[in-house]
Amino acid sequence: MHENYSPREVETSAQQHWEKTAAFKAVEDASRPKYYALSMFPYPSGKLHMGHVRNYTITDALARFMSLSGYNVLQPMGWDAFGLPAENAAMKHNVAPAAWTYANIEDMKNQLKQLGFALDWEREIATCKPDYYRWEQWLFTRLFKKGVIYRKNGVVNWDPVDNTVLANEQVVDGRGWRSGALVEKREIPMYYFGITQYADELLADLDTLTGWPEQVKTMQRNWIGKSFGSDVVFPYDESTIGAAGELKVYTTRPDTLLGATYVAVAAEHPLATLAAERRPELAGFIAECKKGGVSEADIATQEKKGVDTGLTVLHPLTGQPLPVWIANYVLWGYGEGAVMAVPAHDERDFEFASRYALPKPQVIRLKDSESAYDDSAWQEWYGLKDDSVELCHSGKYDGLTPQQAFDAIVADLEAAGRGARRTQYRLRDWGISRQRYWGCPIPIIHCDSCGDVPVPEKDLPVVLPENVVPDGAGSPLARMPEFYETTCPTCGAAARRETDTMDTFVESSWYYARYASPACETAMVDKKAADYWLQVDQYVGGIEHAILHLLYARFFHKLMRDEGLVSSDEPFKSLLTQGMVVCETFYRDRPDGGKDWIAPADITIERDGKGKIIAATHREDGLPVTIGGVEKMSKSKNNGVDPAEFITRYGADTARLFMMFAAPPEQSLEWSDAGVEGAFRFIKRLWRAVFEHQGTGVVAAYADGEVSSAQKDLRYKLHATIQKVTDDYGRRQQFNTAIAAVMELLNTLDKTDTADSAGRAVAQEVLETAVLLLNPIVPHVTESLWAALRPGTQLLEQSWPKVDESALVKSELELMVQVNGKLRGSVVVAADAAQDAIQAAALANENVQKFMEGKPARKIIVVPGRLVNIVV
């Protein structure tokens, strides 16, 4: 063993050994319990960032801990390889997305290997390879035949620059998330996954996910958004519309129906079209409404605007005419594209009615309050629907609670044929058509005679040509006859292949299952392997994936279950959402109003006594820079730390240790150069402790009688540490406190005399255990240290340390002694000492007597195992 710690030498040796021995290859083994640990797989952008390092280190620590604990562990890795970023990079570099992607995969794979993750690389997958997406095409054709997937026209977010459909979540402030272009609404044919068919099950099964954070489950419940309400039918006023008909809306508040003063329709609604034909001046407003996103978030934050069509419909209970407005907050693709407005009791309607001076009659009032209704300013109680309020100005419904009125009004609507009780979901079917090239081709053939025909299984996969360089003008597949020209598999006539590709969330919705049998050529997943490995026992990833990815993966798992591919109902048993890695930012203002962000490494900072930055200057010119605050590491803010450069300087184990020690996994981690140096020093300290111990010679076993009192205390500390670290890893998943406990153990070792033979044996036990306890965090250096402590054995073949309960039984205890609540001394007593003996020892303490000042003890309180408080 070398005297000095060399990260490069240690880590290279360990990684070569692991690769040579296939140390982390996972094989089904019915004789052992299994543990499937999985990090959300990365997009192959070309470079890892510190967020990746943290994510994968958390998962790796759990995997290694469970492996040492006797579990058969699977920890795979792959690549979420399709997507628009590859197309944009391909255009920038004039290279095919496939070539760019595969080169990035190789680079990132090498980076991951440098970090020492216990990954089974034989199970590696890339979602852009035909042997992967073949099976999602296969599932698509089956679901299409069953009607779970269908094609219809839909209003979508259209990015006119990227020439593609955007999901609602990809529209930010009315603009495309990538291009920044103003998003337009367009109606185009789309393929949809019928996720709403599974809405009830997706909602109900959240209650079974006891290993998931409540925050994530709440977000999914809100996204699914189950609500109870009623359809309400407003007959057309033929005197203004000129024809018979009806306008249907859905509301969760039929109890407020008597307060409706207008109805609002989307710009695409037939009544809006009719109004525009009669009044051409409405066309401009309608066109304006068709721009911007179609997400509820966009609608909620935008300024509410509308125009009166001059048309009216009739109130279903009173027969009174209500004006029809076109409003920009009504979405055509949601429900009926129309809403009833009750301005007095809906904040959005109140805002709209105030702007256009529409009436706001009160129909709800507080039962036991003098708070008066004021139609000039919204008050929170206006929207209440619990038993603290009752109906008013609603005729025969006056005095009813909202729920009583709900039931009574819906019953009257149903009796009149003007409505019906209905349960509705906020969740919408998942539109997966994308007008992009770099994605999985949709396996449908369009035939003039036979319609939309699924590609036969024998002709799968529909292979995406990989030698294409996009030019940004829509999907190149639509301009490639060699791709889209084909024949109908049903009638043999000339036909056209679908040129849209699937949303990349489809690939990431089932990859975890493919890892169970990535080489299977006869099925999407091998049922036997899937039944062994699934569910994923621990899934780790960012909270930003709480809704889309995690909801779609849950949905896909149920689809696969219903196809007989998997047996479980849910994909992920436990979920850990790690916090972000954040770092300070610095910048200088540019003359054009922009900012030049400066890397923290180029900044000299001055801190106050509490560690807060009070001044910062650029190292090149010594001039001040602006302190921008602590933000997520990103290229845009130039505050990232390159993992490759870090590993070259400190080694992977230091990166892993700092990441796991600086903060609990679910909290944000603030980068600290001082913290990094501290982690590096601790590893060197551990190395030196083993080196110096190794030089003391052969260590023999010891007998209990040979161990001194201090050495017994050291063993007590050792086994208390095993107990704590095991709980921190296994139950609490709080790695920072586990590391701190080992640090405290080594401090105790340093303070204990272990020079005799029994002491050396105890020190050997402590160091071996410390190495094993830290192995999940710093696997390279602990592998070398184990080889030094136990020559001829392999760390990965060892078992997790067990607590020696006898070591936790102390013969003596040190108790703190207080006088009137203030610490004044300590006493050592027998562990089984009687209470009067403990009191006598405390009263006899010289320092305690000093602070008692000769006064008698009025009361003596003994807290067993902890302290004695003397009240004088």
Side-chain angles (χ1 to χ4, degrees):
M1 180 183 182
H2 296 302
E3 180 177 359
N4 295 316
Y5 168 57
S6 170
R8 183 186 296 273
E9 182 180 332
V10 165
E11 291 173 7
T12 300
S13 173
Q15 290 163 15
Q16 288 175 347
H17 171 70
W18 296 334
E19 188 160 355
K20 180 180 178 181
T21 59
F24 310 119
K25 180 178 180 179
V27 179
E28 291 84 52
D29 180 357
S31 67
R32 289 195 293 160
K34 66 89 182 177
Y35 186 80
Y36 183 177
L38 183 63
S39 296
M40 295 181 184
F41 65 168
Y43 176 78
S45 60
K47 271 195 169 185
L48 291 180
H49 54 67
M50 282 298 178
H52 288 129
V53 176
R54 188 183 195 199
N55 185 343
Y56 305 145
T57 301
I58 291 169
T59 310
D60 193 57
L62 291 168
R64 288 177 177 273
F65 165 69
M66 296 302 287
S67 181
L68 288 170
S69 299
Y71 284 76
N72 185 25
V73 172
L74 167 61
Q75 187 187 190
M77 181 57 70
W79 312 97
D80 191 8
F82 275 139
L84 191 57
E87 289 194 41
N88 291 335
M91 288 186 285
K92 179 179 179 181
H93 301 293
N94 194 32
V95 63
W100 184 83
T101 299
Y102 293 137
N104 286 350
I105 285 174
E106 283 306 305
D107 289 344
M108 292 181 71
K109 184 174 179 179
N110 290 332
Q111 293 170 52
L112 286 171
K113 286 185 174 182
Q114 286 185 328
L115 284 156
F117 299 131
L119 298 167
D120 182 355
W121 283 109
E122 291 187 17
R123 294 175 184 260
E124 178 185 13
I125 59 174
T127 61
C128 62
K129 291 188 174 181
D131 61 356
Y132 180 83
Y133 64 72
R134 165 194 179 183
W135 294 108
E136 94 188 27
Q137 290 177 341
W138 170 85
L139 184 63
F140 184 105
T141 61
R142 293 179 67 86
L143 297 175
F144 185 78
K145 293 172 184 175
K146 292 171 64 174
V148 177
I149 294 177
Y150 59 92
R151 188 175 189 238
K152 70 165 187 175
N153 283 352
V155 177
V156 297
N157 303 308
W158 180 264
D159 187 316
V161 172
D162 282 337
N163 291 300
T164 191
V165 170
L166 299 177
N168 289 335
E169 295 68 33
Q170 295 169 324
V171 179
V172 181
D173 296 328
R175 295 180 179 272
W177 68 295
R178 184 165 296 280
S179 72
L182 279 172
V183 171
E184 301 172 359
K185 295 176 188 173
R186 285 194 185 179
E187 188 170 4
I188 63 171
M190 297 266 293
Y191 288 93
Y192 290 84
F193 274 91
I195 190 172
T196 55
Q197 298 174 31
Y198 286 77
D200 272 326
E201 189 180 358
L202 288 167
L203 188 61
D205 283 356
L206 286 171
D207 292 335
T208 70
L209 299 177
T210 56
W212 282 42
E214 282 302 320
Q215 178 188 8
V216 174
K217 293 193 286 186
T218 297
M219 292 168 75
Q220 290 210 4
R221 285 190 186 97
N222 292 340
W223 188 260
I224 295 168
K226 187 175 185 178
S227 63
F228 303 94
S230 174
D231 288 327
V232 180
V233 174
F234 294 81
Y236 284 1
D237 184 349
E238 295 184 35
S239 67
T240 61
I241 296 178
E246 57 186 33
L247 177 71
K248 186 165 75 170
V249 306
Y250 174 82
T251 178
T252 59
R253 297 296 306 273
D255 53 301
T256 64
L257 180 56
L258 275 298
T261 58
Y262 69 95
V263 295
V265 299
E268 298 85 357
H269 195 280
L271 287 182
T273 304
L274 175 64
E277 291 172 356
R278 296 181 182 180
R279 297 173 57 194
E281 66 270 20
L282 299 180
F285 178 75
I286 290 175
E288 180 185 340
C289 288
K290 291 182 178 180
K291 290 185 177 179
V294 298
S295 73
E296 292 174 83
D298 290 332
I299 300 303
T301 56
Q302 72 183 5
E303 184 182 13
K304 310 301 184 290
K305 297 180 181 179
V307 292
D308 189 350
T309 63
L311 308 176
T312 56
V313 294
L314 302 178
H315 194 287
L317 294 180
T318 69
Q320 292 297 312
L322 300 179
V324 177
W325 283 68
I326 304 170
N328 66 346
Y329 64 80
V330 184
L331 292 171
W332 177 235
Y334 282 56
E336 305 294 333
V339 299
M340 75 175 200
V342 183
H345 304 291
D346 180 276
E347 190 169 6
R348 180 194 61 192
D349 297 343
F350 188 96
E351 176 187 338
F352 188 89
S354 297
R355 175 172 185 148
Y356 293 105
L358 297 170
K360 294 175 279 192
Q362 178 190 13
V363 293
I364 295 284
R365 68 183 175 200
L366 288 168
K367 283 182 179 178
D368 303 312
S369 172
E370 296 180 0
S371 298
Y373 172 70
D374 176 4
D375 71 359
S376 66
W378 175 263
Q379 298 182 50
E380 286 303 314
W381 70 265
Y382 293 175
L384 292 177
K385 55 180 179 179
D386 56 29
D387 288 347
S388 67
V389 296
E390 64 185 10
L391 263 67
C392 62
H393 310 306
S394 298
K396 68 177 185 177
Y397 310 109
D398 284 358
L400 298 180
T401 65
Q403 185 58 54
Q404 291 168 339
F406 182 115
D407 295 334
I409 289 174
V410 171
D412 288 346
L413 289 171
E414 289 176 335
R418 293 283 182 244
R421 189 183 300 263
R422 183 158 67 88
T423 300
Q424 182 165 288
Y425 297 89
R426 181 177 178 269
L427 181 68
R428 298 291 178 261
D429 280 347
W430 175 16
I432 57 99
S433 297
R434 298 293 181 267
Q435 295 66 45
R436 299 173 186 156
Y437 155 65
W438 190 237
C440 172
I442 293 176
I444 293 290
I445 292 170
H446 303 294
C447 174
D448 290 340
S449 301
C450 305
D452 298 337
V453 181
V455 174
E457 183 176 345
K458 65 180 180 63
D459 295 332
L460 295 176
V462 177
V463 177
L464 183 76
E466 293 191 346
N467 59 344
V468 177
V469 180
D471 58 10
S475 171
L477 298 178
R479 306 192 301 274
M480 295 174 61
E482 64 272 29
F483 177 79
Y484 65 72
E485 287 183 351
T486 187
T487 57
C488 174
T490 300
C491 70
R496 182 182 178 92
R497 192 181 301 281
E498 175 62 59
T499 58
D500 283 359
T501 54
M502 296 189 207
D503 181 0
T504 54
F505 274 112
V506 176
E507 284 83 61
S508 61
S509 293
W510 69 281
Y511 77 105
Y512 64 89
R514 185 66 179 173
Y515 281 138
S517 51
C520 182
E521 297 180 355
T522 58
M524 191 171 185
V525 294
D526 177 84
K527 182 68 164 54
K528 184 178 179 182
D531 283 347
Y532 178 82
W533 289 114
L534 298 178
Q535 303 166 296
V536 174
D537 293 283
Q538 182 65 65
Y539 199 34
V540 180
I543 189 71
E544 66 273 17
H545 300 294
I547 296 175
L548 292 186
H549 163 59
L550 288 170
L551 184 63
Y552 292 155
R554 295 182 59 224
F555 168 54
F556 243 76
H557 197 80
K558 296 176 191 306
L559 294 175
M560 291 191 291
R561 177 203 61 195
D562 291 349
E563 290 296 326
L565 298 169
V566 299
S567 299
S568 50
D569 293 328
E570 288 286 335
F572 312 121
K573 184 177 181 180
S574 295
L575 173 68
L576 190 158
T577 53
Q578 90 281 356
M580 298 181 295
V581 181
V582 299
C583 188
E584 290 143 346
T585 59
F586 306 91
Y587 66 89
R588 282 178 174 164
D589 292 315
R590 295 199 307 258
D592 63 3
K595 290 180 173 62
D596 284 325
W597 295 94
I598 305 164
D602 297 330
I603 301 296
T604 300
I605 59 177
E606 180 183 346
R607 298 181 185 270
D608 63 16
K610 297 181 179 179
K612 181 180 179 182
I613 299 178
I614 56 176
T617 56
H618 201 299
R619 287 184 176 173
E620 286 187 359
D621 56 25
L623 297 176
V625 299
T626 302
I627 302 165
V630 175
E631 297 192 40
K632 178 182 178 181
M633 282 188 175
S634 66
K635 291 181 182 178
S636 62
K637 297 296 172 64
N638 198 20
N639 67 332
V641 175
D642 183 355
E645 294 179 4
F646 183 98
I647 290 170
T648 298
R649 182 174 180 183
Y650 293 105
D653 280 342
T654 297
R656 295 171 60 118
L657 181 63
F658 170 72
M659 286 287 183
M660 301 299 271
F661 184 58
E666 72 280 0
Q667 294 180 14
S668 290
L669 181 156
E670 184 171 349
W671 190 264
S672 163
D673 290 339
V676 169
E677 291 288 350
F680 191 48
R681 283 196 304 272
F682 174 71
I683 293 176
K684 291 192 289 185
R685 174 192 172 194
L686 178 64
W687 182 276
R688 177 154 290 278
V690 172
F691 176 77
E692 291 177 351
H693 171 76
Q694 186 195 35
T696 62
V698 177
V699 177
Y702 64 87
D704 286 344
E706 299 173 341
V707 180
S708 70
S709 175
Q711 291 163 1
K712 285 183 178 179
D713 288 343
L714 176 57
R715 290 201 75 240
Y716 174 88
K717 182 69 172 178
L718 167 64
H719 289 276
T721 301
I722 295 172
Q723 193 173 57
K724 175 171 176 50
V725 172
T726 303
D727 186 53
D728 284 347
Y729 279 153
R731 182 181 66 87
R732 298 179 64 239
Q733 296 183 341
Q734 297 294 295
F735 309 100
N736 56 324
T737 55
I739 295 166
V742 178
M743 290 177 172
E744 290 177 12
L745 173 63
L746 293 178
N747 288 341
T748 305
L749 173 63
D750 288 344
K751 296 173 185 176
T752 304
D753 182 0
T754 58
D756 60 14
S757 60
R760 288 200 303 275
V762 174
Q764 175 84 11
E765 183 185 10
V766 169
L767 289 171
E768 284 183 12
T769 302
V771 165
L772 286 172
L773 295 180
L774 289 172
N775 174 258
I777 310 291
V778 286
H780 305 91
V781 67
T782 50
E783 181 123 338
S784 289
L785 294 177
W786 183 266
L789 289 166
R790 284 281 199 93
T793 66
Q794 297 293 329
L795 185 149
L796 292 181
E797 297 173 357
Q798 307 309 308
S799 297
W800 188 253
K802 298 288 191 297
V803 175
D804 180 353
E805 297 292 344
S806 65
L808 296 178
V809 178
K810 281 194 165 187
S811 59
E812 294 181 328
L813 296 174
E814 182 180 19
L815 304 181
M816 300 299 105
V817 183
Q818 299 175 339
V819 177
N820 288 345
K822 293 185 178 180
L823 181 64
R824 298 306 187 191
S826 65
V827 294
V828 176
V829 298
D832 57 355
Q835 186 151 319
D836 57 351
I838 294 172
Q839 293 178 1
L843 290 169
N845 182 277
E846 184 178 342
N847 205 47
V848 169
Q849 290 178 353
K850 172 184 172 183
F851 283 96
M852 289 178 68
E853 298 176 342
K855 299 173 185 177
R858 184 160 55 86
K859 190 176 184 181
I860 303 177
I861 303 167
V862 177
V863 180
R866 294 182 58 194
L867 61 85
V868 181
N869 185 21
I870 302 170
V871 181
V872 299

